[in-house]
Amino acid sequence: MKNLVVYFSLEGNTKLIAEIIAKELNADIMELRTKKEFPKKGLKKYFWASKSVIFRENPILINKYIDLNQYDNIFLGSPIWVGTYASPFNTFIRDYKIYNRNIGLFACSGGGSTKKCFDEFKKMLKWNNFVGEIEFVGPLKVDKEKNIKSIKQWIKGLNI
Ligand SMILES: Cc1cc2nc3c(=O)[nH]c(=O)nc-3n(C[C@H](O)[C@H](O)[C@H](O)COP(=O)(O)O)c2cc1C
Protein backbone atom coordinates (compact mmCIF):
# COMPACT_ATOMS: atom_id res chain seq x y z
CA MET A 1 0.00 0.00 0.00
CA LYS A 2 1.40 3.36 -1.01
CA ASN A 3 0.41 6.45 0.93
CA LEU A 4 0.55 10.16 0.17
CA VAL A 5 -0.09 13.13 2.45
CA VAL A 6 -1.08 16.37 0.70
CA TYR A 7 -1.40 19.48 2.80
CA PHE A 8 -1.43 23.24 2.87
CA SER A 9 -0.37 25.18 5.93
CA LEU A 10 0.02 28.92 6.43
CA GLU A 11 1.19 28.95 10.02
CA GLY A 12 2.58 25.48 10.64
CA ASN A 13 -0.23 23.67 12.44
CA THR A 14 -1.38 21.53 9.54
CA LYS A 15 2.25 20.98 8.56
CA LEU A 16 2.96 19.53 11.99
CA ILE A 17 0.08 17.04 11.70
CA ALA A 18 0.90 16.21 8.06
CA GLU A 19 4.46 15.34 8.98
CA ILE A 20 3.37 13.11 11.85
CA ILE A 21 0.87 11.24 9.64
CA ALA A 22 3.51 10.85 6.90
CA LYS A 23 6.01 9.48 9.40
CA GLU A 24 3.51 7.06 10.93
CA LEU A 25 2.48 5.72 7.52
CA ASN A 26 5.84 5.95 5.81
CA ALA A 27 4.02 8.14 3.28
CA ASP A 28 5.23 10.53 0.64
CA ILE A 29 4.38 14.11 1.42
CA MET A 30 3.38 17.05 -0.75
CA GLU A 31 3.02 20.56 0.60
CA LEU A 32 0.84 22.71 -1.64
CA ARG A 33 2.79 25.85 -2.45
CA THR A 34 1.28 28.88 -4.12
CA LYS A 35 3.11 31.07 -6.62
CA LYS A 36 1.99 34.15 -4.73
CA GLU A 37 2.46 33.54 -1.03
CA PHE A 38 -0.34 34.44 1.36
CA PRO A 39 0.67 36.99 4.01
CA LYS A 40 1.35 35.27 7.30
CA LYS A 41 0.75 38.17 9.68
CA GLY A 42 -1.72 40.82 10.80
CA LEU A 43 -4.89 41.92 9.08
CA LYS A 44 -3.45 41.18 5.65
CA LYS A 45 -3.33 37.49 6.55
CA TYR A 46 -7.06 37.39 7.25
CA PHE A 47 -7.98 39.67 4.37
CA TRP A 48 -6.21 37.85 1.53
CA ALA A 49 -6.87 34.32 2.70
CA SER A 50 -10.56 35.01 3.44
CA LYS A 51 -11.04 36.79 0.12
CA SER A 52 -9.48 33.84 -1.65
CA VAL A 53 -11.95 31.41 -0.06
CA ILE A 54 -15.01 33.63 -0.43
CA PHE A 55 -14.36 34.23 -4.14
CA ARG A 56 -13.46 30.58 -4.68
CA GLU A 57 -10.11 31.54 -6.13
CA ASN A 58 -7.68 29.04 -7.61
CA PRO A 59 -4.26 30.29 -6.51
CA ILE A 60 -1.54 29.08 -8.86
CA LEU A 61 0.39 26.14 -7.43
CA ILE A 62 4.10 25.75 -8.07
CA ASN A 63 4.34 22.11 -7.05
CA LYS A 64 5.96 19.64 -9.37
CA TYR A 65 3.22 17.45 -10.88
CA ILE A 66 2.97 13.99 -9.39
CA ASP A 67 0.97 11.01 -10.58
CA LEU A 68 -1.60 10.29 -7.91
CA ASN A 69 -2.53 6.96 -9.47
CA GLN A 70 0.48 5.37 -7.84
CA TYR A 71 -1.05 5.93 -4.38
CA ASP A 72 -3.68 3.73 -2.75
CA ASN A 73 -4.36 6.08 0.15
CA ILE A 74 -4.27 9.86 -0.01
CA PHE A 75 -4.51 12.06 3.08
CA LEU A 76 -5.61 15.66 2.58
CA GLY A 77 -4.98 18.25 5.30
CA SER A 78 -5.99 21.87 5.47
CA PRO A 79 -6.37 24.69 7.94
CA ILE A 80 -9.95 25.91 8.31
CA TRP A 81 -10.35 29.19 6.48
CA VAL A 82 -13.74 30.88 6.81
CA GLY A 83 -15.32 27.58 7.77
CA THR A 84 -13.89 25.43 5.00
CA TYR A 85 -10.65 24.24 3.38
CA ALA A 86 -7.94 26.67 2.29
CA SER A 87 -8.22 27.90 -1.32
CA PRO A 88 -5.05 26.16 -2.61
CA PHE A 89 -7.16 23.01 -2.41
CA ASN A 90 -9.54 24.53 -5.00
CA THR A 91 -6.64 24.43 -7.46
CA PHE A 92 -5.44 21.02 -6.32
CA ILE A 93 -8.90 19.47 -6.74
CA ARG A 94 -9.32 21.14 -10.14
CA ASP A 95 -5.91 20.11 -11.48
CA TYR A 96 -5.55 16.60 -10.11
CA LYS A 97 -8.37 14.35 -11.18
CA ILE A 98 -8.77 12.07 -8.19
CA TYR A 99 -10.90 8.94 -8.58
CA ASN A 100 -11.17 5.61 -6.81
CA ARG A 101 -8.67 6.39 -4.08
CA ASN A 102 -9.02 5.93 -0.34
CA ILE A 103 -9.04 9.39 1.17
CA GLY A 104 -8.43 10.42 4.77
CA LEU A 105 -9.08 13.99 5.82
CA PHE A 106 -7.51 16.11 8.53
CA ALA A 107 -8.00 19.74 9.42
CA CYS A 108 -6.66 22.28 11.90
CA SER A 109 -8.95 25.00 13.20
CA GLY A 110 -8.91 27.80 15.70
CA GLY A 111 -11.75 26.09 17.55
CA GLY A 112 -14.59 26.34 15.04
CA SER A 113 -16.34 23.49 13.26
CA THR A 114 -14.54 21.38 10.64
CA LYS A 115 -17.74 19.74 9.39
CA LYS A 116 -18.26 22.04 6.41
CA CYS A 117 -14.64 21.58 5.37
CA PHE A 118 -14.93 17.79 5.43
CA ASP A 119 -18.34 17.88 3.71
CA GLU A 120 -16.99 20.06 0.90
CA PHE A 121 -14.00 17.79 0.36
CA LYS A 122 -16.39 14.84 0.14
CA LYS A 123 -18.66 16.67 -2.28
CA MET A 124 -15.83 17.79 -4.56
CA LEU A 125 -14.11 14.39 -4.51
CA LYS A 126 -17.19 12.21 -4.51
CA TRP A 127 -15.77 9.49 -6.77
CA ASN A 128 -13.50 8.33 -3.96
CA ASN A 129 -13.77 6.24 -0.83
CA PHE A 130 -13.54 8.35 2.32
CA VAL A 131 -11.96 6.35 5.10
CA GLY A 132 -11.87 8.78 8.00
CA GLU A 133 -11.40 12.28 9.28
CA ILE A 134 -9.66 13.89 12.22
CA GLU A 135 -9.48 17.44 13.50
CA PHE A 136 -7.10 19.41 15.67
CA VAL A 137 -7.34 22.79 17.37
CA GLY A 138 -4.12 24.77 17.04
CA PRO A 139 -1.90 21.72 17.56
CA LEU A 140 1.32 23.73 17.52
CA LYS A 141 0.40 24.96 20.96
CA VAL A 142 -0.47 21.63 22.52
CA ASP A 143 1.57 18.60 23.47
CA LYS A 144 3.08 16.91 20.42
CA GLU A 145 3.03 13.52 22.17
CA LYS A 146 -0.74 13.81 22.57
CA ASN A 147 -1.12 14.46 18.84
CA ILE A 148 1.09 11.53 17.92
CA LYS A 149 -1.01 9.30 20.15
CA SER A 150 -4.33 10.40 18.66
CA ILE A 151 -2.99 10.10 15.11
CA LYS A 152 -1.73 6.57 15.81
CA GLN A 153 -5.12 5.62 17.21
CA TRP A 154 -6.91 7.17 14.25
CA ILE A 155 -4.71 5.38 11.72
CA LYS A 156 -5.24 2.08 13.51
CA GLY A 157 -9.03 2.50 13.16
CA LEU A 158 -8.91 3.28 9.44
CA ASN A 159 -10.11 0.65 7.02
CA ILE A 160 -7.18 0.87 4.61
C1 LIG B 1 -8.09 33.57 6.85
C2 LIG B 1 -8.29 32.67 8.03
C3 LIG B 1 -9.58 32.23 8.32
C4 LIG B 1 -9.80 31.38 9.40
N1 LIG B 1 -11.07 30.94 9.63
C5 LIG B 1 -11.29 30.09 10.65
C6 LIG B 1 -12.61 29.57 10.89
O1 LIG B 1 -13.56 29.85 10.17
N2 LIG B 1 -12.78 28.74 11.95
C7 LIG B 1 -11.74 28.39 12.78
O2 LIG B 1 -11.95 27.63 13.71
N3 LIG B 1 -10.47 28.84 12.57
C8 LIG B 1 -10.23 29.68 11.52
N4 LIG B 1 -8.95 30.13 11.30
C9 LIG B 1 -7.86 29.66 12.18
C10 LIG B 1 -7.05 28.52 11.53
O3 LIG B 1 -7.89 27.51 11.02
C11 LIG B 1 -6.14 27.88 12.57
O4 LIG B 1 -5.29 28.86 13.12
C12 LIG B 1 -5.30 26.73 11.99
O5 LIG B 1 -4.71 26.00 13.04
C13 LIG B 1 -4.18 27.26 11.08
O6 LIG B 1 -3.51 26.19 10.47
P1 LIG B 1 -2.07 26.39 9.82
O7 LIG B 1 -1.13 26.76 10.93
O8 LIG B 1 -1.73 25.07 9.23
O9 LIG B 1 -2.16 27.47 8.79
C14 LIG B 1 -8.72 30.98 10.24
C15 LIG B 1 -7.42 31.44 9.93
C16 LIG B 1 -7.20 32.26 8.83
C17 LIG B 1 -5.81 32.71 8.50
Side-chain angles (χ1 to χ4, degrees), residues 52-87:
S52 188
V53 169
I54 290 163
F55 290 98
R56 295 188 176 271
E57 289 174 358
N58 291 282
I60 296 168
L61 300 178
I62 54 171
N63 295 85
K64 208 175 116 208
Y65 184 82
I66 58 167
D67 179 11
L68 297 187
N69 285 319
Q70 61 183 304
Y71 296 100
D72 306 287
N73 308 310
I74 301 175
F75 293 81
L76 304 178
S78 176
I80 300 296
W81 281 3
V82 205
T84 188
Y85 52 73
S87 56

Side-chain angles (χ1 to χ4, degrees), residues 7-17 38-40 42-53 77-84 86 107-114 136-141:
Y7 75 97
F8 175 81
S9 184
L10 188 65
E11 298 168 277
N13 290 277
T14 317
K15 182 183 174 76
L16 172 78
I17 301 301
F38 286 95
K40 287 188 180 1
L43 277 181
K44 273 189 183 170
K45 172 178 85 175
Y46 289 100
F47 178 80
W48 290 106
S50 301
K51 173 185 159 293
S52 188
V53 169
S78 176
I80 300 296
W81 281 3
V82 205
T84 188
C108 294
S109 77
S113 170
T114 55
F136 297 86
V137 178
L140 268 181
K141 289 189 191 132

Side-chain angles (χ1 to χ4, degrees), residues 136-154:
F136 297 86
V137 178
L140 268 181
K141 289 189 191 132
V142 304
D143 190 2
K144 197 172 168 184
E145 290 309 311
K146 202 177 127 200
N147 292 322
I148 294 174
K149 213 172 142 192
S150 48
I151 289 166
K152 275 187 182 167
Q153 263 175 1
W154 180 64

